[in-house]
Amino acid sequence: MDTTKLPKMLYGGDYNPEQWDESIWPEDMRLIPLAGMNIATVNVFSWAMLQPNEDTYHFETLDRIMDMLHKNGIYACLATSTGAHPAWMARKYPEVLRTDFNGRQRKFGGRHNSCPNSPLYRSLSTQLAAKLAERYKDHPALLLWHVSNEYGGECYCDRCETAFREWLRAKYGTLDKLNEQWNTRFWGHTFYEWDEIVLPNALSEQWSSDRTCFQGISLDYTRFNSDSLLECYKLEYDAIKAQTPDLPVTTNLMGTFKGLDYFKWAKHMDIIAWDNYPSMDTPTSFTAMTHDLMRGLKSGAPFLLMEQTPSQQNWQAYNTLKRPGIMRLWSYQAVAHGSDSVMFFQLRRSVGACEKYHGALIEHVGHEHTRVFRECAQLGRELDSLDTKLLGSRLPSRIAIMYDWENRWAIEYSSGPTIDLKYVDEIHNYYRALYEQGHQVDIVSFEEDLSPYAIVLAPVMYMVKPGMAARIEAYVAAGGKFVTTFFSGIVNENDIVTLGGYPGELRGLLGIWAEEIDALFPGHHNRIVMKDSLGNLQGEYKCSILCDLIHSEGAEVLAEYGDDFYKGMPVLTRNRFGSGEAWYVASSPDADFLQGFLGALCDSSNIKPLPGKQPGVEVSLRSREGRSYLFVLNHNAAEVTVELGEFAGVDLITGTAVSGQVPLAGCDVLIIEQFA
Ligand code: GLA
Ligand code: ZN
């Protein structure tokens, strides 16, 4: 989707008028534009209304909603409603119901409740998408398609089991190959017939959703499940595209959600859209990282913030209100990282069921004289004044962090060496060290072209997929700086260990080998003792979780362990390789180490931080056609003085020229267009 063609930044959110009396609709149409909103996501959960039985469709209510939106100058992000099937369907065709991890077939209820491999679910959902596309293809309100809603969850039914066997057959070709790649001689699990293979759940190989006896089958099931749901999405996508080839189609993703390989999904989405629900104590760097991950799904293309709450959620244990100014600040944070929309769940609170206490533009009182409405309306005026300036702009970066869903699944399915290793946390540690120093980062897939980057970080690259080692070697040989860490280069794409010493295929590049891996108890640490200083990095730091016991075989040793029987063994190494450098960090270091280390790497690559960075203040830069926009977000409650250095321009929110030292109130934001 080319967002540069949009008339304005998209501002709006989920709107479910079919859930309340039509007499209220005119008031909705007064209030939504009053808040400066221009888009409504409609028809997200209306399947039962649209299709009361197998042979009947009723589109009249949706027709009225679509017409009403158009009449009031509001675009429709039109959803297909297939995220929850109707009750009659479950009764008539129990095959549409999922079977859970414990092997129980579900009854009707909840949402995300349809078996992705049910032929009936697939045909009925695709048929609905096709009918919607046919009916609304020329509707003037229609801007964007929204397939289903927040895909996720698993099914362990017999149909999925059969489909899994077919998926495996396509992947491995022969059972010999499968037996070898799953190492089924372990515990005598050799398969002689495809039909002997059953799904890995509580009835078979897994004792919990993330603990398994056989990583190979569990990993493949997770891939298969992601592919099965993607297949459902693609069927609807194709049905829609057949009618409206030029309209963008998306679905709402969930950031670091574990279950789906979003890099694979992204290839079938016209624009990335995602739902941002941080808790009030989520670090701002974590949210920033998640936005960057979503931007990375399409190699840096702008994305849509599809949902966030204007005030509070309902599904957390304690649903704290976003304090005054926070909704605005976090909205701009999304824009700062590449969003071309600010959208909410939801525009009006419902009267019943589990989301009635979820925040909304229009509170239960029903009028505009509320804090939340005022804050939304203020943001609406500001976004309106930004006009088309930021649309389509990108975030230039010379630093990339590699991220991979399959790698995460494999790490977290691993039985040993520790249960404390959480892939996303390790990624976040590295991200945060750069964020805290004002460095802009791209998060990229294992397949991404690395040549634009001066520095590539690959924390815990446990799984090395075919061809990857050679690509990384070529990148480093050509002058790149590559950093990887403990527990890397261990297995192939099926979790089979690469023999001959860790880090396997990366061993030549890194110039080290790891003999053993020590797991530390919670609260325990070892020490990283620097041999000399490296930039600001000197003295000692702590490290924890895992310690690789490594030997140098050519790499320069910059730091050694300070404790235990492996005291004196290397913990930080650099191997010169071609014109570049390959670094190994053999444990999980503390934040001070990472800041010093990454600061030194950036210095040596002549990468300067963005202006305006200080504690609690976030900075980012978007640019388009030679124009640059610096975002400065004050996450502190108190006012700060921002130091802009040589950066000078006009603050797009206030229209005033800013340069040098600029006061910035608590929770406030600057978006500075640099003087030409
Ligand atoms: C998700 C869903 C919405 C709604 C919100 C509530 O993001 O997509 O339908 O349930 O959560 O936070
Ligand atoms: Zn199923």
Side-chain angles (χ1 to χ4, degrees), residues 105-181:
Q105 189 186 26
R106 294 190 47 93
K107 294 192 175 185
F108 175 70
R111 56 180 178 176
H112 312 301
N113 50 1
S114 315
C115 165
N117 287 296
S118 153
L120 264 162
Y121 171 74
R122 286 189 175 187
S123 70
L124 289 165
S125 55
T126 310
Q127 197 174 310
L128 179 60
K131 286 204 183 284
L132 287 164
E134 201 185 327
R135 190 167 189 98
Y136 298 106
K137 61 173 185 263
D138 297 319
H139 199 286
L142 180 58
L143 182 77
L144 172 70
W145 287 100
H146 178 300
V147 176
S148 189
N149 193 67
E150 290 191 338
Y151 280 97
E154 296 82 26
C155 181
Y156 297 90
C157 75
D158 292 347
R159 261 168 309 276
C160 284
E161 195 157 80
T162 307
F164 182 47
R165 292 176 191 138
E166 282 156 19
W167 186 95
L168 292 170
R169 223 188 247 269
K171 174 172 176 180
Y172 293 105
T174 65
L175 271 178
D176 285 349
K177 179 81 182 160
L178 175 146
N179 280 316
E180 175 214 311
Q181 287 297 300

Side-chain angles (χ1 to χ4, degrees), residues 325-338:
I326 296 291
M327 178 280 291
R328 174 177 179 268
L329 178 63
W330 291 4
S331 298
Y332 280 125
Q333 186 184 27
V335 177
H337 287 270

Side-chain angles (χ1 to χ4, degrees), residues 14 16 44-45 111-112 146 149-150 252-254 275-277 307-309 312-315 345-346 354-355 358:
D14 276 42
N16 308 307
V44 184
F45 291 106
R111 56 180 178 176
H112 312 301
H146 178 300
N149 193 67
E150 290 191 338
N252 46 345
L253 308 180
M254 297 175 282
D275 300 344
N276 180 32
Y277 289 102
E307 292 181 26
Q308 62 170 347
T309 178
Q312 70 195 139
Q313 293 141 13
N314 66 283
W315 43 267
F345 183 89
Q346 52 194 339
C354 67
E355 286 175 348
H358 194 290

Side-chain angles (χ1 to χ4, degrees), residues 380-548:
R381 283 190 293 277
E382 292 177 6
L383 293 175
D384 190 61
S385 74
L386 295 177
D387 204 35
T388 57
K389 285 211 154 152
L390 297 165
L391 298 176
S393 58
R394 299 211 168 206
L395 283 82
S397 170
R398 295 182 61 213
I399 310 170
I401 297 182
M402 297 179 91
Y403 187 98
D404 185 82
W405 265 267
E406 296 179 304
N407 185 51
R408 177 178 180 192
W409 298 334
I411 290 167
E412 294 173 14
Y413 272 134
S414 182
S415 184
T418 178
I419 59 165
D420 279 355
L421 177 54
K422 298 283 176 254
Y423 181 57
V424 176
D425 291 349
E426 291 302 318
I427 297 284
H428 179 231
N429 290 343
Y430 280 78
Y431 182 91
R432 184 173 48 197
L434 292 161
Y435 171 96
E436 292 298 350
Q437 296 176 84
H439 289 298
Q440 189 143 293
V441 177
D442 280 346
I443 302 192
V444 303
S445 81
F446 277 12
E447 290 169 10
E448 190 68 68
D449 171 20
L450 303 177
S451 59
Y453 300 103
I455 300 174
V456 171
L457 310 172
V460 205
M461 187 181 264
Y462 171 70
M463 175 186 285
V464 175
K465 302 185 192 184
M468 261 178 56
R471 282 200 301 116
I472 297 169
E473 281 181 3
Y475 163 74
V476 178
K481 291 193 173 74
F482 176 74
V483 178
T484 190
T485 72
F486 66 95
F487 210 46
S488 289
I490 312 272
V491 297
N492 76 356
E493 73 279 17
N494 296 316
D495 204 60
I496 292 295
V497 171
T498 304
L499 296 180
Y502 319 131
E505 291 187 66
L506 302 176
R507 184 169 164 180
L509 171 68
L510 292 159
I512 54 124
W513 77 278
E515 184 177 335
E516 293 183 271
I517 304 169
D518 193 19
L520 274 50
F521 275 94
H524 288 212
H525 63 265
N526 204 310
R527 284 179 300 139
I528 298 176
V529 182
M530 296 300 298
K531 295 178 74 172
D532 293 306
S533 59
L534 176 74
N536 294 328
L537 204 60
Q538 54 187 343
E540 294 187 12
Y541 302 88
K542 286 181 180 167
C543 60
S544 57
I545 303 182
L546 289 181
C547 296
D548 282 2

